[in-house]
């Protein structure tokens, strides 16, 4: 089974925003949506455009279970 899903956002000095998703489990498949729209890339991290604003959701699934976490994203300072 999948453990709890956590999402964190980091901003680099160049203004690039990166979202990271972490969970526990085997053979995890990650998918991302921003305000309900799918984002390309199926890894545990995804780069976002500078100024991204809204709700980002990481969904994690494997052959046993499924989990997701949504957080509010604000543009980098």
């Amino acid at each position: 089974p999948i453990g709890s899903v956590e999402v964190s956002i980091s901003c680099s000095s160049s203004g690039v925003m990166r979202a990271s998703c972490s969970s526990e489990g085997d053979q995890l498949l990650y998918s991302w949506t921003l305000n309900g729209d799918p984002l390309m890339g199926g890894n545990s991290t995804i780069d976002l455009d500078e100024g991204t604003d809204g709700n980002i959701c990481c969904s994690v699934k494997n052959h046993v279970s499924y989990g997701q976490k949504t957080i509010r994203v604000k543009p980098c300072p």
Side-chain angles (χ1 to χ4, degrees), residues 19-34:
S20 302
C21 188
S22 62
S23 187
E24 288 121 31
D26 297 323
Q27 298 171 324
L28 300 178
L29 295 169
Y30 295 91
S31 58
W32 295 89
T33 61
L34 177 65

Side-chain angles (χ1 to χ4, degrees):
I2 288 173
S4 61
V5 180
E6 293 299 327
V7 180
S8 60
I9 304 290
S10 61
C11 293
S12 73
S13 55
S14 58
V16 175
M17 193 186 302
R18 174 169 286 172
S20 302
C21 188
S22 62
S23 187
E24 288 121 31
D26 297 323
Q27 298 171 324
L28 300 178
L29 295 169
Y30 295 91
S31 58
W32 295 89
T33 61
L34 177 65
N35 297 325
D37 297 322
L39 295 171
M40 297 306 290
N43 299 322
S44 59
T45 62
I46 192 166
D47 288 336
L48 303 170
D49 293 330
E50 191 178 351
T52 296
D53 195 3
N55 292 310
I56 192 163
C57 177
C58 172
S59 300
V60 186
K61 66 180 178 180
N62 64 9
H63 58 287
V64 191
S65 62
Y66 173 88
Q68 68 177 38
K69 172 94 173 186
T70 302
I71 65 167
R72 179 94 169 99
V73 177
K74 293 179 179 157
C76 288

